[in-house]
Amino acid sequence: MPAGLSRSDLGILGGLALLSVALLFWATRDGVLAAGFTAGLGLAFAGVILTRRLFPAVGAGDAVAPDWTMLRQAVAHDDVAVAVTDRAGRLVCANDLFATWFGGFVTPPGLPLDGRGGELLKNAGRAAWRDGEGRVDEVAIGALRMRAQVMRSGQAEDYLVWRFSALERLDLASEIVRHLDGPAGRTLGQAGVMAALVSAEGRLRVANQAFLLRALGEADSLHYAGRDVAAMMRLDDGGALYFARETDAALPVRMLQIPLAPADASGPMLLALIDEEIGPADRGTAQTYVETLLSLLPFGLAMVDRDGRFLYMNRAFVRAAGLAEGKMPRYPGDIVVGEDKGPLADMIRRHSSGQQVGGDLSIRLAGQSDEPVSMRVVGVRGLGEAAVLLSLKDSSEESRLKRQVAQASKMQAVGQLAGGVAHDFNNILTAVLGSCDLMLMRHTPGDSDYDDIQQIRSNANRAASLTRQLLAFSRQQTLRPQILQLPDVISEVSHLLKRLIGDTVQLSVHHGRGLGAVRADPGQLEQVIVNLAVNARDAMPGGGTLTIETYPVSAAEARQMGSDIMPPADYCALKVSDTGTGIPADVLPKIFEPFFTTKDVGKGTGLGLSTVYGIIKQSAGYIFADSHPGKGTSFTVYLPVHRTAGDAPVVPAAPAKPKRSQWGTGTILLVEDEDMVRAVAERALTRAGYTVVTASQGEEGLERFAQMETLDLVISDVVMPTIDGPAMVRAMRAKRPGLPVLFMSGYAEEQLRQSIDIDDVAFLPKPFSVAQLAEATSAALDDAAHRGPHGE
């Protein structure tokens, strides 16, 4: 169609030309003249069309339409589904995988997605028109989970490009469906292989164009799914296999059946059919076709002859077996450990001379003997020298994920154990510290027992520090987060670092520009820097350089990192590097485990890096270690940039409250199930001037509460048998609203926040000293007085 002329324009011009010829013939009655005039009109019209094709007129407001056919070929991809829509929301181009995944060429965002997928995709499209790009981290259609990316494109930015990539590998049947209905299926057809996937009921699920053309006579049939495959085939009197719609004059075919389900020959199957040439000279052609098929399939397959020697293996098999490229072993036993050579050889021998059935064998590959893998052995017929087909799954990625899950589960289990031990230990330490404080009140410096009591108290404080490290690792410690800048924290701790690392280690600090604010506990963040610095110092016994850097990381840069753990967002990075001995590759995955240390006995607790890990994770951050033996180690911490509502300026931390009095008056109900903690707390509060009524559990606390006419404060443990602290307090406040409450617990406040869920309560973490208990009591009473009798 020439540019600028529509079909209606051509029709009008043609009609006028015919009318002119008719009038000329009617007027002159000269046929030669009319024929010459017709030829002249034809040449003129052809010249116009040729001129239009060679020199299309493009006006100032016109645009040359894109060649969508060429673009569709350009976006053909086996792993990413791609579609293009215009400003009017019309689908103008999509690749084959898009049609496979979404059941046809459906216009985005109106795709048949599960749940809120359609809404999320529509929002991503709006974001792409507005900002140039939109994303959805996860949408699903059945078992297929995908990540969606929408980008504005085109010279006038009037198109949207929709890209969908699978988040995880599909099952085997889905992989075959994708390949047969895509470029791989066409490649098989060009090689003479007709391939189809058949369900357990014998129904056709998908087939390449070569199979459809021979079986149905249509290469692009849209209604073949669900048809009975057995009805498409027939056997002649001699046992030759033909397509049912073809006569005996056609070539017979040879069928290779590959079961997909292990140990289930009656389950879904992949069928590969090739034309069978008559005569032994053409037997090799069939094997060549099969090798072509195997080379294109995404899972590891190999052919073995009757003597147990390899004939062929595809690249997926070579990769799964961990073999060097171009070095094919002679026998299957050469790829397994010595103990598995005999069982594998026996299984291949049985299947090479028996029926066409398969079996599975658990083997350990040479060089990968840590984890067994499953090898499927299937007997085959009619493939020349090939007698057995071996199937081996590439499980390297699966093994890596299993190791990561096992490591994460172990870290979680150890963290739970550490948190439980720390809680029980905190109760013991509370009693020890309280008893020491009470004894010190009866002794003065110079007494014979004073120094011993101080030593006991000092050791108890060291034990309390150890429990804090355990709670930090298990992410169960009480944090006091503030909005702060990383350079300010480093500046505060730099003087301490210089004393810790010594004179042989040089400290170098560099701060990047454009750092955002982060939300973290400044004391815990200083602990992170100190632990990393001490760890770096110990890795440089002969001296070296300790470098601390801070720099911003944008969401685009985080996305380019390609981390499976850290989502794309704006971060502030803190990098601590040394020039020490480095960490061996086999030790690197274990460095964050509690009590793991490579230092000599007595020189390390093994809790330094595990504490760092727990603090960073509890602060919603991420930490990664990178080490090269002999060159040094670097730890990089990523903390998310804190965003305030409406990008409001960061509010500085409130000034510290003045120290409370350790003396007071009033009636206190003390509820604690640990006898030693209750006894120490009662003595400390009585000595401070308070009237104390005690209870050993929640039910007893409610009984004491009902008997008391005057009550100024309830001090209670959180976790207690029968009735816990929060349940008891709710029952009390139902009768006395605004009753002041001070909770104490060996668990972290963050961990108990959901179970407490009560307004206007104070919290005191264990272990605490007598002075800390008195100050917390005074503060709780003062706050209650400011709120009023009913908690206003």
Side-chain angles (χ1 to χ4, degrees), residues 110-121:
L111 303 179
L113 301 174
D114 299 340
R116 298 180 58 248
E119 179 183 351
L120 296 175
L121 196 61

Side-chain angles (χ1 to χ4, degrees), residues 676-717:
M676 51 187 175
V677 176
R678 186 174 64 254
V680 169
E682 180 184 7
R683 291 177 58 191
L685 292 172
T686 302
R687 188 183 180 281
Y690 300 101
T691 302
V692 182
V693 178
T694 62
S696 60
Q697 55 177 326
E699 290 182 347
E700 185 180 353
L702 290 175
E703 294 176 1
R704 297 284 189 273
F705 172 77
Q707 300 169 359
M708 299 174 65
E709 296 182 359
T710 302
L711 180 60
D712 299 303
L713 177 67
V714 175
I715 301 178
S716 172
D717 193 9

Side-chain angles (χ1 to χ4, degrees), residues 416-429:
Q416 291 176 346
L417 174 63
V421 171
H423 166 259
D424 294 338
F425 203 41
N426 277 335
N427 282 326
I428 300 173
L429 291 175

Side-chain angles (χ1 to χ4, degrees), residues 241 252-256 272-276 283 286 381-384:
L241 182 64
V253 293
R254 178 167 296 177
M255 180 185 293
L256 175 66
L273 296 90
I274 54 177
D275 290 330
E276 184 178 30
R283 296 276 184 189
R381 299 292 176 272
L383 295 181

Side-chain angles (χ1 to χ4, degrees), residues 9 30 43 62 78 90 98 202 254 260 270 285 336 340 355 444 452 481 519 531 573 593 650 689 701 708 759:
D9 294 336
D30 189 341
L43 290 174
D62 298 335
D78 286 349
R90 295 170 298 197
F98 181 91
R254 178 167 296 177
L260 301 188
L270 175 65
T285 305
V336 300
D340 295 337
Q355 298 179 351
T444 58
D452 294 334
R519 185 176 183 271
N531 286 12
E593 296 181 9
V650 176
M708 299 174 65
D759 296 333

